[in-house]
């Protein structure tokens, strides 16, 4: 004889909540995280006694019988998915054992799929939004916990989703499950999603998109599946109300991840736009958030030719950053290739490990190297260039062989740090790669040739980092625009000014502004990864 | 309906205790600054629904934080001297 007074009472309350359309109250009732209080303990006992394992079908029937509001619907459209969600919820609280993280994950994953499906109801689904957000937070915590204990999931790769692709990891799968809830919310067409007071319309599931998106992004970044973020940014760019109408905390978290995504794709200009706005929106007292934003903003700006000032380093959130970035800035400004290579090598750079752990080292090493080379050509002009004569209409020039000599010379000293190692061959023994000859001297065959030195300058000209042209026949670089300003200023414009001229006005795909993005622009905008050219 | 009162009050209390509003936990707030470097996780800052703080956004005010003129014209340091000599030597020998 079934004895389920507490469960029946609980379902009656849920029925009332559905009729009242009270999402907050729904969340307050659907407690998911142990420890459970007495009332929930009673329910757990009743489920265990009446619906033990293998009795899930009967549990579904019980919920159906006691939830007429869901069974029949409020406006005649039944909400069966809600019934399955509640039955799954009861199963969860019956079986959960938090000492076993993997089992908890699997059980919770079932709950998430059921609630996500129930969220899809066109009129009643909105009642579940606060609960979905709450559960997604817990699920994200669980997924990140699993990612930090890889030994727990070493043998438990979830089903393979892509043909021939890598298996989907458990944390990644959690992100994808939350993403499906996010997509459901984004597709709510009950209204524009914007209330008359220009805030998110709480009756529309779009009000939850940034909270859910941020949780997905957090998981994907944590489990190093940054590519999975792209779909989220594309969907938001196409369908979201403007980001600015959402609470600032949500804007900041979203822009932080968008900035990091753009950074990881070498779109440093876009990255600094998103990150600068995130920093501007973050009140001064949230130092840990500001610090994380600042690390990526600083690196982006550095690579765009905008260095941190003393005032920046003195901010509380910038504590210690000078020691990591100061020497790099100096090496770039000096054109000191050996120092730069030493600083960005994991073996020799005092801050390289720190930079690597923040996932900025490789970007600095490769993009930053272009800036070092630019400074070096500038320095060579200062020490060996011909200043020309504006009166005599004689342009300043630089013998390319001087640049060539400088490049070869710097590759000589100090051998370990100065030898350029192609990323493909990183980690290999230099001797094996013939970087050094029998006497330990750099292999002359691997030093830059004159043609390569010339190509380097041509590439700088092409990127507007040098303002001039090459006379191939004379083997000289001629500086343009030196009539109006000093030769070196004319020939080597400020990097930041070059960058601004190139990118000013460009939008950041994924950052929905008023009237921006959307129709007809498609997802291709985020796919374009051609940010920066390397210089060989 | 004492059951319902009990349910709503206890569950609401549990929820409040559980999440401290907006997912921010006391642990994170009290985290010592020295741990900042080890924790790469970005947490929402907890001001949702609270009165907005004054914006720190100062388009002109933030400019001094960045240095766009950093080119180094010093040609008398050791590095420049070595380069100069090497270039001279190379020019003579060719």
């Amino acid at each position: 004889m079934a004895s389920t007074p507490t469960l029946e009472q609980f379902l009656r309350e849920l029925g009332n909540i559905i009729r009242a359309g009270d999402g907050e109250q729904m969340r307050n009732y659907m407690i998911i995280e142990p420890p459970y209080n007495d009332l929930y303990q009673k329910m757990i006992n009743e489920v265990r006694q009446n619906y033990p394992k293998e009795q899930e079908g009967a549990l579904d029937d019980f919920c159906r019988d006691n939830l007429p509001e869901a069974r029949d619907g409020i406006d005649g459209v039944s909400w069966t998915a809600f019934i399955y969600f509640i039955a799954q919820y009861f199963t969860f609280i019956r079986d959960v054992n938090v000492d076993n993280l993997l089992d908890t994950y699997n059980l919770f994953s079932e709950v998430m799929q059921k609630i996500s499906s129930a969220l899809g109801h066109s009129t009643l689904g909105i009642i579940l939004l606060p609960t979905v957000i709450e559960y997604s937070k817990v699920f994200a915590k669980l997924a990140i916990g699993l990612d930090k204990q890889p030994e727990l999931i070493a043998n438990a790769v979830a089903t393979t989703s892509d043909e021939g692709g890598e298996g989907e990891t458990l944390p990644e799968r959690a992100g994808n499950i939350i993403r499906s809830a996010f997509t459901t919310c984004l597709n709510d067409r009950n209204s524009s999603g914007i209330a008359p007071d220009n805030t998110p319309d709480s009756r529309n599931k779009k009000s939850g998109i940034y909270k859910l998106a941020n949780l997905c992004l957090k998981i994907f970044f944590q489990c190093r599946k940054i590519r999975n973020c792209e779909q989220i940014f594309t969907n938001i760019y196409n369908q979201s109300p403007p980001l600015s109408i959402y609470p600032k905390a949500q804007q900041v978290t979203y822009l932080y991840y968008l900035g990091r995504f753009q950074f990881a794709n070498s779109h440093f200009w876009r990255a600094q736009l998103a990150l600068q706005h995130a920093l501007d929106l973050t009140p001064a007292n949230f130092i840990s958030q500001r610090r994380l934003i600042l690390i990526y903003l600083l690196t982006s700006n550095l690579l765009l030719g905008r260095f941190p000032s003393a005032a920046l380093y003195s901010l509380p959130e910038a504590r210690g950053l000078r020691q990591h970035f100061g020497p790099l800035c100096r090496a770039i400004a000096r054109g000191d290739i050996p120092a730069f290579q030493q600083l960005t090598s994991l073996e020799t750079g005092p801050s390289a490990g720190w930079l690597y752990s923040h996932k900025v080292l490789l970007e600095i090493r490769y993009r930053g190297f272009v800036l070092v080379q630019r400074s070096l050509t500038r320095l060579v002009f200062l020490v060996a260039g011909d200043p020309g004569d504006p009166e005599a209409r004689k342009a300043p020039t630089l013998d390319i062989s001087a640049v060539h000599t400088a490049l070869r010379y710097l590759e000589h000293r100090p051998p370990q740090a100065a030898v350029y190692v192609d990323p493909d061959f990183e980690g290999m023994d230099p001797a094996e790669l013939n970087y050094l000859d029998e006497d330990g001297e750099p292999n002359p065959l691997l030093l830059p040739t004159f043609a390569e030195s010339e190509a380097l300058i041509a590439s700088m000209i092409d990127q507007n980092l040098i303002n001039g042209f090459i006379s191939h026949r004379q083997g000289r670089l001629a500086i343009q625009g030196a009539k109006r300003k000093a030769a070196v200023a004319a020939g080597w414009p400020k990097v930041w000014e070059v960058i601004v001229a190139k990118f000013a006005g460009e939008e950041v795909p994924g950052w929905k502004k008023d009237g921006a993005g959307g129709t007809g622009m498609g997802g291709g905008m985020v796919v374009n990864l051609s940010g920066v050219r390397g210089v060989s | 309906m004492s059951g319902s009162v009990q349910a709503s009050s206890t569950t609401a209390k549990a929820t409040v205790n559980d999440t401290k509003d907006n997912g921010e936990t006391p642990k994170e707030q009290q985290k010592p600054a020295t741990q900042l470097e080890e924790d790469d996780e970005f947490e929402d800052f907890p001001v949702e629904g609270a009165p907005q703080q004054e914006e720190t956004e100062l388009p002109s005010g933030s400019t001094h934080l960045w240095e766009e003129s950093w080119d180094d014209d010093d040609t008398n340091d050791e590095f420049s001297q070595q380069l100069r000599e090497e270039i001279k030597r190379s020019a003579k020998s060719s």
Side-chain angles (χ1 to χ4, degrees):
Chain A
M1 179 69 192
S3 174
T4 52
T6 320
L7 290 176
E8 287 165 34
Q9 168 89 40
F10 185 78
L11 293 177
R12 266 199 300 282
E13 295 288 345
L14 293 188
N16 292 336
I17 290 171
I18 294 174
R19 270 200 298 279
D22 189 344
E24 295 299 319
Q25 191 69 322
M26 178 68 81
R27 184 192 61 196
N28 293 342
Y29 268 66
M30 299 306 300
I31 299 218
I32 195 79
E33 269 190 293
Y36 303 113
N37 67 28
D38 291 349
L39 183 82
Y40 289 81
Q41 214 56 59
K42 274 188 199 165
M43 292 204 297
I44 291 167
N45 292 338
E46 289 179 18
V47 179
R48 284 182 181 158
Q49 279 161 19
N50 297 281
Y51 303 100
K53 284 192 181 177
E54 314 298 331
Q55 294 281 313
E56 279 76 17
L59 186 56
D60 286 347
D61 293 341
F62 168 76
C63 293
R64 185 178 293 106
D65 292 344
N66 286 279
L67 276 171
E69 293 81 1
R71 184 186 62 224
D72 307 327
I74 298 294
D75 301 323
V77 184
S78 65
W79 196 12
T80 319
F82 182 78
I83 293 167
Y84 293 132
F85 158 57
I86 296 300
Q88 192 66 50
Y89 171 79
F90 288 147
T91 308
F92 179 86
I93 59 173
R94 179 191 71 192
D95 297 341
V96 66
N97 168 18
V98 286
D99 293 335
N100 187 329
L101 207 52
L102 190 56
D103 280 354
T104 305
Y105 169 90
N106 286 327
L107 270 175
F108 203 90
S109 164
E110 295 291 327
V111 174
M112 283 304 297
Q113 290 178 62
K114 293 285 193 318
I115 195 175
S116 189
S117 162
L119 179 71
H121 191 282
S122 62
T123 52
L124 298 174
I126 183 74
I127 302 170
L128 274 179
L129 183 60
T131 315
V132 167
I133 290 171
E134 187 63 35
Y135 283 18
S136 297
K137 282 182 194 165
V138 177
F139 201 33
K141 214 160 60 178
L142 204 53
I144 289 169
L146 278 176
D147 189 71
K148 287 181 175 169
Q149 299 181 62
E151 69 280 3
L152 284 180
I153 52 175
N155 299 317
V157 174
T159 50
T160 305
S161 58
D162 310 323
E163 316 97 29
E166 290 175 48
E168 190 186 34
T169 64
L170 296 182
E172 183 185 10
R173 187 159 148 248
N176 287 336
I177 290 171
I178 298 175
R179 188 170 66 183
S180 80
F182 155 80
T183 310
T184 301
C185 291
L186 193 62
N187 287 330
D188 188 338
R189 305 201 201 287
N190 281 326
S191 68
S192 67
I194 307 173
D197 63 351
N198 208 31
T199 57
D201 180 357
S202 61
R203 294 164 307 165
N204 187 302
K205 286 174 244 174
K206 281 194 168 87
S207 56
I209 54 175
Y210 283 99
K211 274 189 175 169
L212 293 174
N214 288 343
L215 289 168
C216 293
L217 297 171
K218 185 173 178 174
I219 294 173
F220 291 144
F221 267 84
Q222 176 64 36
C223 69
R224 299 159 299 280
K225 297 284 181 178
I226 297 179
R227 263 169 191 245
N228 293 25
C229 302
E230 187 178 315
Q231 195 67 45
I232 292 171
F233 294 130
T234 306
N235 291 349
I236 280 190
Y237 202 43
N238 288 334
Q239 283 175 270
S240 165
L243 176 65
S244 59
I245 71 167
Y246 287 80
K248 283 190 183 172
Q250 292 177 40
Q251 292 188 48
V252 166
T253 304
Y254 180 76
L255 288 171
Y256 168 75
Y257 286 116
L258 178 59
R260 285 201 55 190
F261 177 78
Q262 297 292 352
F263 181 89
N265 286 311
S266 298
H267 283 299
F268 306 117
W269 173 261
R270 296 172 181 176
Q272 64 86 21
L273 286 179
L275 293 164
Q276 180 68 58
H277 195 59
L279 191 69
D280 291 342
L281 291 177
T282 308
N285 51 322
F286 294 109
I287 290 181
S288 72
Q289 284 87 352
R290 288 181 62 89
R291 181 177 178 81
L292 277 173
I293 296 167
L294 191 58
I295 288 169
Y296 298 96
L297 175 60
L298 194 161
T299 311
S300 301
N301 272 335
L302 174 70
L303 296 178
L304 296 167
R306 210 180 187 206
F307 290 0
S309 70
L312 187 144
Y313 283 135
S314 68
L315 293 172
E317 57 268 34
R319 193 175 41 80
L321 295 187
R322 188 198 288 268
Q323 87 183 61
H324 300 308
F325 292 99
L328 283 168
C329 290
R330 269 195 303 282
I332 291 174
R334 297 296 300 137
D336 192 339
I337 289 178
F340 183 80
Q341 287 179 329
Q342 189 236 338
L343 289 167
T344 54
S345 154
L346 275 173
E347 283 84 43
T348 52
S351 288
W354 184 89
L355 296 167
Y356 183 78
S357 72
H358 285 87
K359 303 183 177 70
V360 298
L361 178 67
L362 299 183
E363 284 79 2
I364 292 174
R365 189 189 292 168
Y366 298 119
R367 175 59 193 174
F369 193 59
V370 179
L371 300 185
V372 189
Q373 290 175 318
R374 169 207 171 265
S375 293
L376 178 65
T377 58
R378 185 180 183 279
L379 179 61
V380 171
F381 178 78
L382 285 173
V383 301
D386 176 349
D389 181 0
E391 299 298 313
R393 300 175 60 85
K394 185 172 175 294
T397 58
L398 174 62
D399 193 340
I400 290 170
S401 64
V403 174
H404 181 56
T405 302
L407 286 170
R408 286 175 75 97
Y409 170 65
L410 294 178
E411 298 264 328
H412 268 88
R413 48 148 270 184
Q416 278 304 324
V419 170
Y420 171 75
V421 180
D422 187 278
D424 288 345
F425 296 103
E426 209 162 62
M428 288 182 72
D429 180 4
E432 207 177 308
L433 294 168
N434 295 328
Y435 280 120
L436 304 179
D437 65 15
E438 288 154 1
D439 304 323
E441 290 292 307
N443 183 339
L445 291 175
L446 291 167
L447 289 173
T449 63
F450 185 86
E452 283 165 346
S453 300
E454 188 181 40
L456 170 73
I457 293 175
S459 169
M460 297 270 165
I461 293 172
D462 186 50
Q463 295 178 70
N464 294 329
L465 292 173
I466 293 178
N467 183 26
F469 61 90
I470 289 175
S471 165
H472 179 67
R473 202 158 44 86
Q474 296 177 29
R476 295 187 84 81
L477 163 71
I479 302 301
Q480 291 177 303
K483 260 190 221 164
R484 288 179 299 280
K485 46 175 132 173
V488 72
W492 285 263
K494 288 182 183 134
V495 175
W496 175 253
E497 287 175 3
V498 171
I499 295 289
V500 169
K502 184 170 178 187
F503 292 110
E506 190 182 281
E507 270 188 32
V508 184
W511 183 354
K512 189 63 183 271
K513 297 186 173 178
D514 296 313
T519 50
M521 302 183 88
M525 299 208 54
V526 188
V527 185
N528 179 7
L529 308 182
S530 63
V532 178
R533 281 153 298 176
V535 177
S536 55
Chain B
M1 293 296 283
S2 60
S4 72
V5 172
Q6 189 196 4
S8 48
S9 61
T10 50
T11 52
K13 195 174 158 201
T15 306
V16 169
N17 284 342
D18 221 26
T19 63
K20 280 271 175 204
D21 198 17
N22 304 311
E24 169 249 343
T25 66
K27 192 183 74 191
E28 271 126 23
Q29 260 198 336
Q30 292 161 6
K31 195 183 296 171
T34 48
Q35 284 185 14
L36 283 175
E37 310 297 62
E38 290 145 29
D39 190 355
D40 207 19
E41 274 186 47
F42 192 91
E43 302 292 339
D44 277 2
F45 64 77
V47 296
E48 313 249 346
Q52 301 275 3
Q53 295 221 7
E54 202 172 305
E55 296 226 6
T56 53
E57 189 169 8
L58 297 167
S60 56
S62 64
T63 308
H64 73 283
L65 296 176
W66 305 104
E67 186 57 68
E68 290 146 25
S69 302
W70 42 262
D71 274 319
D72 190 344
D73 289 340
D74 181 5
T75 55
N76 295 314
D77 67 332
E78 195 192 338
F79 181 67
S80 311
Q81 296 286 5
Q82 285 173 349
L83 269 188
R84 180 183 281 122
E85 283 162 25
E86 185 64 25
I87 291 166
K88 270 186 197 157
R89 189 161 47 235
S90 170
K92 270 186 206 154
S93 66
S94 58

